[in-house]
Structures are given as structure tokens and as C-alpha cells.
Amino acid sequence: MDWPAGKTAHITFYYIHVCMPLYVDVLTCVFPGITLPSAFSAFYYLLFIGICTWWACHFPMNRLGFSALCVMVGFFTAGHLVCLYLYQSSYAQGLIPPASLWARLFGLKVILMPSNCSSTSYDLIVNTEHNWPVYANPGILLLLYITMATVLKMGSLLSSEEVLINFGYMHDLYTCTLFHFPNKKSGTVLLLISINLLYYLFPHLSGLGGTPSGLDRDNPLHIVGRMIMQQSYVCALIAMMVWSITYHSWLTFVLLLWACLIWMVRARRHFATLCSPFILLYGLSLCSLQYVWAMDLEQELPQNLGTMSLRQLGLDRLLYTLTFWLLLRQSVKDSFSRKKILATPLQEVTTGVTISRSSSWLTERAGRNESVLKVLGEVVMSCYAKYWIYVCGGMFITVSFAGKLVGYKIVYMLLFLLCLCLYQVYYSLWRRLLKVFWWLVVAYTMLVLIAIYTFQFEDFPNYWKNFTGFTKEQLAVIGLETFQLSELFTSIVIPGFFLLACILQLHYFHRPFMKITDLEHVTPIHRKKAGQRAEVPQAAERTVYEGENQQTELLGNESEDEEIMPSKWGLVMDRLVVLFRKFSDNLTRVQVFIWRVLELHILKIVAFFVICVALLEVRPSVMNLVLVVLWTFAMPYSRFRHMASCLSTIWVCIIIVCKMLYQLSVVTPYEYSSNCTMPFDNETNMEIEELQNSTLYKAPVDPANWFGFRKDATALGYSKNHLLVLMLLVFEATVYRHQTHHYRQHQCSPPSIPILFPNANRDDLDQDLLTCFKYLLNYSFYKFGLEICFLVTVNVIGQRMNFLVIIHGCWLVVILTRRQRAAIARIWPKYCLFLVFFTIYQYILCVGIPPALCIDYPWRWKSSITINSALIKWIYLPDFYTIPNSRNLIADFLLLICASQQWKVFEEEKKEEWMVLGGDNTDKYDPMKDRPVNPVPNFINCRCYLDMVKVLVFRHMLWFVLAVVFVTGATRISVFGLGYLLACFYFLLFGTELLIKPPRTRLVLWDCLIMYNVAVILAKNVLSILACVFVEYLQTNFCWVIQLFSLACTVKGYYNHCVLPVEEAGIIWDSICFFFLLLQRRVFLSFYFLHVTADLQASARQASRLL
């Protein structure tokens, strides 16, 4: 139904003349009352308190009373202004001196200095000795007077009956308002009508498209306001806590205890509404006391009560009373509602002619709005239920590491770590104890707040000393110390907000969170959607059905002649809904894909990150050795992986707690540190500079450093790496449980093969580029894992170039000489076991013996054989001067991860399911043996882009690989490069004949080139002892050796000078060549290469016929 323009103008006139004065008058009354406290200003202060309390108690206010109140305030404000004006004269200041009691009591201040009567100047001299409220007070009073005069001049307020007569279109609104609010006092009716008019005048707030609501309670804005009013007790309790935390005093401490008591009560809403009058009375009492003590009466008012300062009672603050009025109003409203329900008799339901078609249409729209808001509210609550616990976790870390580290903060972190350990190790027990955990955290936080709060009062430190028997320093270690104002605010406000976060989680989000995380009772996704679809329109459909029946009875066939056309905004909203659904579906698919990727690779990510944290510490330690042992054994032996995750979680928690305890001020390392005596020249082979920089002699040795503990500037920066490890371990468990919930919700089982794209298998590989790319993502390591392991081994050799990696090179030679995949698979478990023990052994070398023993290593003793620091570094021996670099082991562990995955591939490639979906991993010299037909299609004729890529790889790759071999030999002038050049020219002599040679002959030649490449890599590694350790001796006597083998140390930390450029040394190009040689070998063994061979043979036969 459309509203006429004339009626809209009348409504606007009514809103401006009736509703606005109510709000403006109340707001302008408060500012003169709080600007400059005095006896005059107390009138405005008490008036504001009275009006707000009157409103909170649901008392009516008629037109005559409001007008009389405006007149009274106007006269009083005018008199106040006249008094201030007259007091600026010298005569008034002589009668009542500015320093007298009456002048200070009534707030009479000298703003203008008296001028000299003999002077002819009329300049005003302002007294600048006062604070800014003194100068702002007259302006605020003048604003209040103008406001009151304007309100009275606008005319008398209309009665509710006149309003309803003038606006005939408001009949349904008035009927609904009186039906829901039977109190027909004119003030209440006017207030309700003004709210509905506000919705009409601002349609973008109401969501009804510019049409007024038929039911005031169904308006979206009113629903939100009603929700806020229903939760007003939460606002009031938060205000009480923030008041007490912000302003420290005994009187606000009562508010803190009061709020904590209400939070802990089960029926906290009912208890808060019962206490609302007393809370408001107590708050107003504090405000009134503050108002009195804020007057300029310091000489007359007492400042001490016995031996206690009144400042500790909190007579110097004012805030937060608005929420108390809201709570009282909601309490009175609930009381009226209960009485109305008990007093209302049962009546017969009838239908009268007063219900019009417009009211039924409004009811229909209201039902729809309520359903939409209900769904929106459920979505918001679901998000909070899911993610608010992460806010609490972040607050745990904040409250534990903010500021100075003390004892009670370590207890916070201990509780947090216990929760995470239980979540990781025993999920069902964690769920049962989670509510108990939140109650324990809330109780402990309240205890901490009360202890810190009361410790700031005078004489309380002595009480705590006598009660506990601790000294001042010991109490400070616990966290009980007297703070400055800024430090006190930080020390109280952070636990206070943490308490609020935990209380919200406990009372509002715990139950839905437990429902979401229940893995035993998961609702299937199709049932969940069907239930939501049936629930959302149910209320609206019932409302629409009832409205249609009423229209049929009252209007007959009138509805048939009218047709409701959708508006342009409705079409826009429908289109936005469709786009949002598409975006939501795409986002859901992306999330499912990311969770699947994490499910497949989260364990490897966790293992690699844990090892990186252990290896990248400032110094290798015994505590990190446990993590290295756990994860090196867990990678090849999958049955130990869950145990490694659980034990790592527990061990990391122990490390974090120990690190935090070591940062306490009571721990003084200098008291137990060892001072090692520097040896004489005949007892050691070290130079003086090396002795001074050795760990044993450069400073007192702290025994805790060997275990991994040291003093640091900030506890968070010192512990953040292990905190990240803990978060990642917990996230690993979350990923697996999320996927379990996902599969049960969709009523499906996880894929039998750990792949990303179930629809991309070997049969679909030759369709197009996209399918081929998906197949490679699924089975890249399954097909090329062995070659990846070889490349990682070469990478380890190139990064280390020391004695220990010679063993890696020997293993590489042994594996490559097996040639056949089956033979390599037989020795692969032994290789994995070697990598496990070899990695642990190298980290033990990095840890070394405890330096606190003051015993140096034997190779540092004086003997006939001198072992210098460079040789110790190359052999990778433990030492206190040249400490082995544990970061080198990152590449070793990456090799262990790849080797472990390849061991798994060797076991799975024997299963029929993997052979069907992923393809056969055969490496026979003759792939077509026992096969009548080539299983892959012919791609020579290039029917698609994928065939073009195949032609480039399988037909022309050989020439590109030979070019790489040539570049590898030509980039450096040495005897090794000569071998590459000879091999390149030898293969180029064959030309295309190499491609049509028998498979066994072709592979033997190619394997010889690969073995030469590996031999060069090993030789350069062995010769690195000359380039890094004995380079000075070679420069003097054997310069030709350096030139012949291109010797240059490529590892930092030995010597900084070298004869040859570094680009001519190293194994970078050898590694690149090794990669392409392995790739070409796989090309030779593939079924696709048989089509190339057949085509070349056919071309050769055809050419011979032509000849």
C-alpha cells in the first residue's frame, strides 16, 4: 500500500515536532550537569538522573508535565546565566569573594578580569588561570536555554488521539500498538508511534521497502534492538568489570566482585535482573559521591578516613551508568510481561472487519523478515561458535607473554598447554573436560584479578608478606607488585578482557561448539539442508496462508484484480542472491580442495617444520635432540607417526614451560656457571685467537645452554618457534578430525588412494592437457619418486661438500649400479634405515659433550699430528670453536622424507589398484615383451596440444639433453669438462641411429654417461678437502693441480681467497646435467618412445626403398 505525499509530510512534521524534542531535551540536560560540578549544576545532573530512571522504570509522561518541565528548566537556566554574568562585575566579586565557600559551592568563577576604571580602553581581559570546563560552561548553558526556548516556541505537543485522527492510514499501526501495549498513557503511545514513524521515514533501516510495519515487534531494526535489550545484563556486567578495571578503588572493587559473582551463577540473567535496582542505586551513589568530591571544596571535604585515603574509595571517577538503566528497564519490562501473562484470561479467537488487506500483507512481510533475520543470526552464531575459541587461544598467549614474565602467567600457559596436549592425545576426554577447563580458567582469572587489584592498596603488600612469608622480590616473581598507573592498567585490563572472552565462550558458544565438534553424531549434509529449507520458510508460509485466508474472507475477488509486481531493488537482490550462491559454491569447492591437500601433506609439513625449528636454534641442544629422534624414525616407519605427533606435543609443551621458568628473575645463571681455565701453549694446538673465541673460555659456561635454555630479552621471541611447532601439531590433528567429520557428513569414505583428483587416472591421461596436469599432480611422485630421491641426494652433496657426504655418494653409486627397479626396491629399506641413524648421528655431533665439564676434544690436544680448524670443519667433528653447522642437516632430512615416500611407493606399486589407476611402473628394457599392442595411443600426428608436447618431449628431448651435456663441459676448463665434451660428441656421432638402436644397447650407453656424471660429482666432493683445507699449500707448491681440477672452495667458512672464480667450481652444472640425464633415461623406458622408434624405423625403411 502506498502512502500519499501529503500524509508523509504530516508524519514528518509530527516526528520533528513531537519526537525530536524528547531526545534533544534529555541530551542537552546532561552536559551542563557534568561540565562544571557545583550546586547550580547539580540541578541538571539530578534532572538527567531522574529522567533516565523514570524512563527505565517504564513510568509515563504526559504532555502537560513535559511542557512544565521544559519551562522550569528554561527559567532555571536563564537564572544561572544571569548569575554567572553578574558575577563578572567587581561589585559581585566584592560581596562574594572567589575564594569563599559560597562562590566555590555554586561554581561562580571569575572569567573576565576587572578592568581599570581610569582606563579609556574597553578591551575584555580573560582570566587564563582556570581549566577549559570553566570557559565552556556558559556556552553549554546558553545552548540549553536556546534549546528549551525553541522547543516551547514550536508549540504544544499533540495528543495521541489527535494524531490517530489526522493520520487515518495509521489505524492498523495504532491497533497493533495498543494490542501489544495496553497501557494507553499518552506518552507511551507517542513514543511507540514515533518509533514506527522512524522506520517509515528511514526505509533503508527497516528493510520493508518504504512501507510501515504492521507489527512493531517484527521490524528488523526493532528485532535487533530487542535482542540488545534482552542481553542488556551482559552489557551491564561488562560495564561493571570495565569500570572496576579502568578506575582502581575499593568502591569499584565491589563492582568487580559483584560482576564476577553474577557471571558464575547459573541463572545469571535472572539474578542480574533481580539485582538491577541495587546495581543502579550503587552506581548512582558512586556518581553522586564523585559529583560532590569533584566540586571545588577540597578544603571542606575530608580527604582521609582514619588512616585510609578517600582516593582509594574511588571518589574521583564517573562512568558506565547507562547500561545500568538499560538493565533496570529490561527488568521492569520482564516483570510487566510476567504479570500480564498471568492476568490475561483465555478469550475466543474471532475475526473482525477491522483487519484490512494491508495488515495481512504487512504480517506476511514481517514473517519473511523474521525468518531471514533468524537464519542470519544462526549463521553469525555458528561462526562465533566455530572461531571464538581461537580468540580465547590467542588471548591465552597474550595474557601469558604480555609485559614482564611472572609466575601467574606461567600458570596460564601451563593450563593452555594442558588443554592442547589433551586435545592432541585424547580427543574424547578433552571434550568431556572442556567445560571444566573453562570454569577453572575463569576461577583462576578471577583470583588473579582480585589478588592484583587488592595488592595495589596501601598496607596490602605487608599483609601478603605476613600471610605468605615471602619477600618483596619473591612476591614480584609471582606477579604481586605495586604498579604505576599505566602498568596497573595493562596488568588488570588484559586479564579482565581475557576473563570476558572465556565467559562468553563458556556461557554462549560452548554448547554449539561441542555440537559442531562431535564426531560421533554427525548430521548428514542432505538432511541438514532439508531441515533448514523446511524450517526457514515455515513461519513465513504459515503467516502468508493465514493472511490469504483473511483476504479471501474480507475482500472477496478484489485480490484477483491486483497483481504485485517486483520492484527493481527486488530484482537486484535476487541477482545478488544468485551470484552469492555461486560464489559460496566455488568457495566451498576451494575449501574442500585445500583441506584435501592438507590431509595428504600435513604430516610432511609438520615433520619438516619441527626439524627446521630444532636445527635452526642458536645452538643444538639435548631437548631438541628428542624431536629429531622422534621424527627421523617416524618418516620411514608410518606406524610410529601418530605416536611421534603425540610425544612431540607433550615434549614441546615441556620445552615451552621450562623456557618460561628459566626467564624468571629468581634464576641467576652466574651463580652456577662454570669458569673454565684456559690451557697453556704446550697443552693445545689452538691459536690464541681461537682460544679467546672458544665456547669454553670466552665467557662463563651456563650448563643450561647445553639443554637448550638461555636468558633472552623477551620470553615470546625466545619461545615463539616452539609455540609455532605446537600450533602446527594441533592443526595437524584438526585437519584429520575435520576430514573425518567431512566424510561422515557427506556419508562417504575417504579415497582408497591418496590423490587430489579421483577422476584423473591412467586411462584419462591422454585426453587433454588439463587431465594430464591433474594426473601428474596425483601420481608425480609415484612415477618419478626415485629420480627425485637421486636429485635430492646430489643436492645434499652439493650443499655440504665435506667428508660425511661421501657416504651419501657411495650409496648413490650402489643404488645406480643396480639399474633395475626391482633390485633397487630390495635394498631401499636398508637405505632408509641408514638415513635415520645417519641423521641422528650428525645431530649428536652438533650437540657434542656438555661444555660445563670444561673438557676439550682430543683433536685439540697437543700432538705430533696437527688438526687445524678447517680440517675439523671438513670432517664434521664436534668442536667448541668451529661448532658443526646443524642447518646442513635440513637437506639430509628432506632426503629422508623423499626416501621414506619412495619406500611407500615401492610397496604400493605392487598392488593391482595402483597399477590400474596410476599405471605400471615397469622399467624393462623391452616394454613390449608379452604385450601384443602398445597400450598408449600414437601421438606422432599431433591431434591436440598434448600430442605436440609429447612430440617435443619424446622425440626432440635427446638433442636438448646433449646440449646441456655440452654446456656442462664447456662452462669450466678442467679435466672433468673434457669428459663431458667427449661424451657429447660421441652421442652426436650416432645421430638418429641412437634412437633406433636396441633398447639394451641404448640404455647401457646412457647409463655409462650417468655413472660418469656421478663419478665427477664424487670426485669434486673428495677434492674439496684440497680446495677448502689445504688451498694455501697448493697455491704455493701445486698450482697446476688447482688449474687441472678447477679447485675452489664453494662452502662458506673456510677461506675467503681463491685462485679461480667460484663459477668454475662446484657441482651446479653437474646437478643440472644429472637431472636431464635421468629424465632422458625415463623417456627411453616409456611406451610413448616406442612410437618415436617405430616412426623413425618406418622412415628409414621408406628411405632405403627409394634408394
Side-chain angles (χ1 to χ4, degrees):
M1 171 175 107
D2 296 330
W3 290 71
K7 301 300 181 183
T8 305
H10 284 300
I11 294 171
T12 306
F13 176 82
Y14 171 78
Y15 177 75
I16 295 175
H17 287 73
V18 176
C19 304
M20 288 298 293
L22 293 172
Y23 310 134
V24 174
D25 290 349
V26 175
L27 290 177
T28 51
C29 279
V30 66
F31 295 112
I34 63 175
T35 303
L36 186 63
S38 63
F40 278 140
S41 301
F43 170 78
Y44 312 108
Y45 167 74
L46 296 176
L47 179 63
F48 175 73
I49 289 178
I51 293 175
C52 291
T53 307
W54 190 274
W55 171 81
C57 294
H58 277 267
F59 292 154
M61 180 180 292
N62 54 31
R63 175 174 55 89
L64 182 60
F66 182 74
S67 300
L69 184 63
C70 292
V71 172
M72 180 179 63
V73 174
F75 275 106
F76 187 84
T77 306
H80 193 178
L81 281 171
V82 170
C83 291
L84 288 179
Y85 181 79
L86 294 177
Y87 192 72
Q88 304 309 310
S89 64
S90 303
Y91 178 75
Q93 295 174 14
L95 292 178
I96 307 176
S100 63
L101 173 62
W102 297 106
R104 290 184 287 111
L105 178 62
F106 287 95
L108 300 177
K109 302 293 183 180
V110 178
I111 300 176
L112 300 177
M113 298 294 292
S115 59
N116 190 0
C117 297
S118 61
S119 175
T120 59
S121 176
Y122 296 97
D123 296 337
L124 298 178
I125 303 174
V126 180
N127 184 7
T128 60
E129 297 179 356
H130 303 298
N131 295 324
W132 69 266
V134 175
Y135 308 106
N137 188 41
I140 294 175
L141 290 173
L142 182 60
L143 176 63
L144 176 60
Y145 179 77
I146 294 174
T147 302
M148 292 298 170
T150 304
V151 169
L152 293 174
K153 187 178 180 180
M154 288 172 64
S156 61
L157 299 176
L158 300 175
S159 64
S160 60
E161 291 78 10
E162 294 173 355
V163 172
L164 296 176
I165 291 173
N166 291 334
F167 303 114
Y169 288 93
M170 297 292 293
H171 180 269
D172 295 329
L173 171 64
Y174 176 62
T175 303
C176 295
T177 303
L178 296 183
F179 177 77
H180 291 282
F181 299 94
N183 182 10
K184 299 180 178 58
K185 300 286 186 178
S186 59
T188 306
V189 175
L190 290 175
L191 181 59
L192 294 173
I193 294 176
S194 65
I195 294 175
N196 286 276
L197 291 174
L198 178 63
Y199 296 156
Y200 175 76
L201 294 173
F202 300 93
H204 62 280
L205 297 177
S206 63
L208 295 177
T211 305
S213 176
L215 292 175
D216 184 65
R217 61 181 179 87
D218 290 327
N219 192 282
L221 190 61
H222 189 76
I223 292 174
V224 175
R226 184 176 59 190
M227 181 184 66
I228 295 175
M229 286 298 297
Q230 289 176 351
Q231 304 299 324
S232 59
Y233 78 98
V234 177
C235 301
L237 294 179
I238 293 175
M240 293 168 67
M241 298 185 67
V242 174
W243 190 345
S244 61
I245 292 172
T246 308
Y247 304 121
H248 177 262
S249 65
W250 278 112
L251 294 178
T252 54
F253 179 62
V254 175
L255 292 176
L256 177 63
L257 292 179
W258 205 341
C260 292
L261 178 62
I262 295 177
W263 277 122
M264 299 185 68
V265 174
R266 184 177 184 83
R268 54 196 172 277
R269 186 176 187 276
H270 178 65
F271 191 70
T273 54
L274 289 178
C275 297
S276 59
F278 307 102
I279 295 175
L280 178 61
L281 181 62
Y282 187 77
L284 294 179
S285 300
L286 290 184
C287 294
S288 301
L289 289 174
Q290 142 64 19
Y291 197 87
V292 174
W293 257 259
M295 295 181 183
D296 190 9
L297 301 175
E298 295 182 0
Q299 302 176 5
E300 289 75 18
L301 294 176
Q303 302 299 323
N304 294 281
L305 185 62
T307 59
M308 182 174 60
S309 174
L310 288 180
R311 181 170 293 271
Q312 298 185 48
L313 293 178
L315 302 181
D316 53 353
R317 301 296 181 207
L318 171 63
L319 256 182
Y320 309 113
T321 54
L322 179 60
T323 57
F324 300 163
W325 279 312
L326 292 176
L327 178 60
L328 178 61
R329 180 174 176 83
Q330 183 63 28
S331 175
V332 175
K333 183 177 179 180
D334 292 344
S335 178
F336 286 167
S337 300
R338 287 193 297 269
K339 292 179 181 179
K340 185 193 305 180
I341 293 174
L342 295 176
T344 302
L346 294 176
Q347 297 178 356
E348 182 181 359
V349 179
T350 59
T351 303
V353 294
T354 57
I355 303 179
S356 63
R357 181 177 178 225
S358 61
S359 64
S360 64
W361 182 83
L362 293 173
T363 305
E364 172 187 346
R365 295 295 302 269
R368 292 179 181 176
N369 288 327
E370 188 174 7
S371 301
V372 172
L373 287 176
K374 182 179 179 182
V375 174
L376 182 61
E378 289 178 354
V379 171
V380 173
M381 287 299 294
S382 176
C383 291
Y384 274 113
K386 280 184 180 180
Y387 303 114
W388 189 256
I389 194 170
Y390 295 103
V391 176
C392 296
M395 290 294 293
F396 257 114
I397 297 177
T398 302
V399 77
S400 301
F401 291 101
K404 178 184 176 182
L405 185 64
V406 290
Y408 79 85
K409 296 182 180 180
I410 298 179
V411 177
Y412 272 120
M413 182 52 61
L414 182 61
L415 292 173
F416 182 57
L417 297 179
L418 287 176
C419 179
L420 294 183
C421 281
L422 202 57
Y423 172 80
Q424 172 80 359
V425 177
Y426 201 161
Y427 183 68
S428 59
L429 181 61
W430 174 79
R431 282 175 49 83
R432 289 196 295 267
L433 297 180
L434 187 58
K435 191 170 185 178
V436 178
F437 169 78
W438 289 121
W439 276 114
L440 179 61
V441 172
V442 169
Y444 177 72
T445 306
M446 290 180 178
L447 180 63
V448 169
L449 274 176
I450 293 172
I452 297 177
Y453 203 94
T454 56
F455 196 84
Q456 309 308 311
F457 296 124
E458 297 178 2
D459 299 331
F460 256 74
N462 295 328
Y463 296 154
W464 277 96
K465 290 179 184 178
N466 298 332
F467 178 73
T468 59
F470 293 160
T471 62
K472 181 179 180 181
E473 290 75 16
Q474 292 172 337
L475 289 175
V477 170
I478 298 174
L480 297 177
E481 57 180 321
T482 304
F483 298 103
Q484 299 295 330
L485 183 59
S486 58
E487 296 176 351
L488 176 62
F489 179 79
T490 304
S491 301
I492 295 180
V493 76
I494 294 178
F497 281 112
F498 175 65
L499 176 62
L500 292 178
C502 294
I503 288 172
L504 292 176
Q505 172 66 26
L506 179 62
H507 292 315
Y508 292 96
F509 309 128
H510 175 73
R511 184 173 296 177
F513 176 78
M514 297 300 290
K515 185 178 180 180
I516 292 172
T517 58
D518 189 2
L519 299 180
E520 301 297 330
H521 305 88
V522 180
T523 305
I525 190 68
H526 63 276
R527 296 181 186 177
K528 186 176 181 181
K529 288 183 177 179
Q532 289 177 352
R533 290 172 183 171
E535 181 182 357
V536 169
Q538 186 176 7
E541 288 178 358
R542 286 200 303 266
T543 308
V544 171
Y545 178 72
E546 294 172 0
E548 289 177 353
N549 289 340
Q550 293 173 0
Q551 290 178 23
T552 303
E553 293 178 6
L554 298 176
L555 302 176
N557 297 327
E558 184 181 350
S559 59
E560 298 178 1
D561 299 332
E562 298 181 6
E563 186 175 332
I564 301 177
M565 297 297 295
S567 63
K568 60 179 181 179
W569 290 111
L571 295 176
V572 171
M573 290 302 298
D574 292 340
R575 182 58 180 167
L576 289 177
V577 168
V578 173
L579 294 177
F580 177 77
R581 287 178 179 175
K582 290 182 179 180
F583 174 76
S584 178
D585 294 339
N586 293 332
L587 182 61
T588 301
R589 284 193 287 268
V590 171
Q591 288 177 345
V592 171
F593 178 77
I594 293 175
W595 282 110
R596 180 60 180 166
V597 172
L598 290 174
E599 182 185 7
L600 296 178
H601 302 293
I602 186 63
L603 184 71
K604 296 183 280 291
I605 295 173
V606 170
F608 186 73
F609 188 79
V610 171
I611 294 299
C612 285
V613 169
L615 298 179
L616 295 178
E617 284 277 306
V618 176
R619 178 183 175 87
S621 61
V622 176
M623 302 296 285
N624 288 327
L625 176 62
V626 178
L627 298 177
V628 174
V629 171
L630 286 175
W631 285 103
T632 48
F633 273 101
M635 293 315 299
Y637 305 103
S638 57
R639 59 181 177 273
F640 294 143
R641 290 178 178 178
H642 179 68
M643 181 184 69
S645 296
C646 297
L647 293 179
S648 297
T649 304
I650 298 173
W651 191 250
V652 169
C653 292
I654 294 174
I655 292 176
I656 293 173
V657 173
C658 293
K659 282 187 172 184
M660 294 182 71
L661 289 173
Y662 199 75
Q663 304 306 309
L664 295 177
S665 58
V666 293
V667 180
T668 52
Y670 65 88
E671 295 182 355
Y672 53 84
S673 296
S674 302
N675 290 309
C676 301
T677 304
M678 188 173 295
F680 297 104
D681 294 340
N682 59 354
E683 296 177 348
T684 181
N685 57 12
M686 300 177 66
E687 301 292 337
I688 298 298
E689 183 181 356
E690 294 177 342
L691 286 174
Q692 293 176 350
N693 292 322
S694 175
T695 306
L696 293 179
Y697 313 115
K698 66 180 179 180
V701 180
D702 184 3
N705 293 344
W706 188 69
F707 292 94
F709 308 123
R710 56 183 173 82
K711 288 286 187 178
D712 200 89
T714 59
L716 180 59
Y718 178 47
S719 308
K720 66 178 181 182
N721 289 334
H722 285 90
L723 276 174
L724 291 176
V725 168
L726 182 61
M727 296 298 107
L728 196 58
L729 288 167
V730 173
F731 181 67
E732 177 207 1
T734 304
V735 168
Y736 293 140
R737 285 161 189 160
H738 177 274
Q739 291 303 95
T740 302
H741 185 275
H742 172 77
Y743 295 133
R744 292 181 181 179
Q745 191 178 44
H746 290 78
Q747 292 185 324
C748 62
S749 58
S752 57
I753 296 180
I755 55 178
L756 290 176
F757 305 101
N759 297 326
N761 50 45
R762 185 61 187 83
D763 296 336
D764 304 324
L765 172 61
D766 301 300
Q767 290 182 359
D768 50 29
L769 281 173
L770 181 61
T771 307
C772 179
F773 179 71
K774 290 182 179 179
Y775 174 83
L776 292 177
L777 288 180
N778 283 340
Y779 302 100
S780 58
F781 203 90
Y782 173 76
K783 302 297 290 185
F784 307 104
L786 189 59
E787 287 76 14
I788 293 174
C789 292
F790 293 157
L791 292 174
V792 175
T793 303
V794 172
N795 176 61
V796 172
I797 296 174
Q799 287 191 5
R800 303 277 298 276
M801 298 296 284
N802 58 18
F803 173 74
L804 292 183
V805 295
I806 296 177
I807 304 176
H808 283 295
C810 295
W811 268 102
L812 182 61
V813 172
V814 170
I815 293 173
L816 287 175
T817 53
R818 293 294 188 271
R819 301 187 66 192
Q820 294 293 321
R821 190 177 182 91
I824 295 175
R826 284 193 294 270
I827 66 170
W828 201 259
K830 301 175 183 177
Y831 179 56
C832 291
L833 185 62
F834 158 76
L835 290 177
V836 170
F837 284 105
F838 193 56
T839 304
I840 296 174
Y841 166 72
Q842 291 181 88
Y843 192 78
I844 291 176
L845 292 180
C846 296
V847 174
I849 62 176
L853 299 177
C854 294
I855 300 176
D856 212 337
Y857 292 99
W859 37 88
R860 287 301 189 181
W861 298 347
K862 193 71 173 181
S863 61
S864 57
I865 301 176
T866 302
I867 302 178
N868 58 19
S869 299
L871 183 60
I872 292 174
K873 180 180 178 64
W874 189 83
I875 302 177
Y876 209 72
L877 292 174
D879 189 63
F880 293 117
Y881 174 68
T882 58
I883 301 174
N885 190 3
S886 60
R887 300 187 178 190
N888 294 333
L889 301 183
I890 294 178
D892 291 70
F893 188 77
L894 185 61
L895 174 60
L896 176 60
I897 293 177
C898 296
S900 303
Q901 292 298 112
Q902 183 57 37
W903 187 6
K904 187 178 180 181
V905 169
F906 281 139
E907 295 176 351
E908 290 174 340
E909 67 185 4
K910 302 175 183 177
K911 301 177 183 178
E912 183 179 358
E913 186 177 14
W914 278 86
M915 295 176 64
V916 172
L917 297 178
D920 189 9
N921 272 346
T922 181
D923 60 347
K924 298 178 181 179
Y925 295 135
D926 188 6
M928 291 302 298
K929 186 179 181 180
D930 301 330
R931 289 179 183 269
V933 182
N934 195 334
V936 300
N938 193 348
F939 59 89
I940 299 299
N941 296 326
C942 295
R943 293 185 298 270
C944 61
Y945 290 107
L946 180 60
D947 290 344
M948 297 174 64
V949 174
K950 291 178 183 177
V951 169
L952 290 175
V953 172
F954 296 103
R955 186 163 189 168
H956 306 292
M957 174 68 75
L958 175 63
W959 315 116
F960 180 76
V961 173
L962 292 178
V964 172
V965 174
F966 178 81
V967 171
T968 304
T971 51
R972 69 281 310 275
I973 303 175
S974 66
V975 67
F976 300 126
L978 179 62
Y980 284 114
L981 294 178
L982 292 176
C984 176
F985 293 144
Y986 177 77
F987 281 102
L988 288 175
L989 286 176
F990 287 103
T992 56
E993 293 182 3
L994 179 65
L995 302 179
I996 60 177
K997 280 182 176 294
R1000 182 179 294 274
T1001 304
R1002 183 171 58 243
L1003 285 175
V1004 168
L1005 292 175
W1006 202 256
D1007 289 344
C1008 290
L1009 179 57
I1010 293 176
M1011 291 307 300
Y1012 174 77
N1013 178 233
V1014 174
V1016 169
I1017 293 174
L1018 284 178
K1020 287 186 176 182
N1021 184 27
V1022 174
L1023 292 175
S1024 65
I1025 187 175
L1026 301 178
C1028 297
V1029 179
F1030 303 108
V1031 64
E1032 294 181 345
Y1033 181 75
L1034 291 176
Q1035 286 176 342
T1036 305
N1037 303 313
F1038 298 95
C1039 184
W1040 62 272
V1041 176
I1042 297 176
Q1043 299 291 337
L1044 180 64
F1045 296 102
S1046 297
L1047 298 181
C1049 188
T1050 59
V1051 181
K1052 296 180 180 180
Y1054 290 97
Y1055 298 100
N1056 295 326
H1057 53 275
C1058 186
V1059 176
L1060 292 176
V1062 180
E1063 288 79 7
E1064 296 190 11
I1067 61 170
I1068 296 178
W1069 274 105
D1070 300 277
S1071 303
I1072 297 173
C1073 182
F1074 183 68
F1075 166 72
F1076 283 103
L1077 291 175
L1078 292 178
L1079 184 61
Q1080 184 60 39
R1081 190 178 192 276
R1082 287 301 302 268
V1083 169
F1084 287 152
L1085 292 173
S1086 66
F1087 287 102
Y1088 294 100
F1089 187 73
L1090 297 178
H1091 291 294
V1092 177
T1093 305
D1095 182 69
L1096 292 175
Q1097 290 175 351
S1099 299
R1101 285 193 297 267
Q1102 186 177 8
S1104 63
R1105 290 175 184 175
L1106 293 176
L1107 293 176

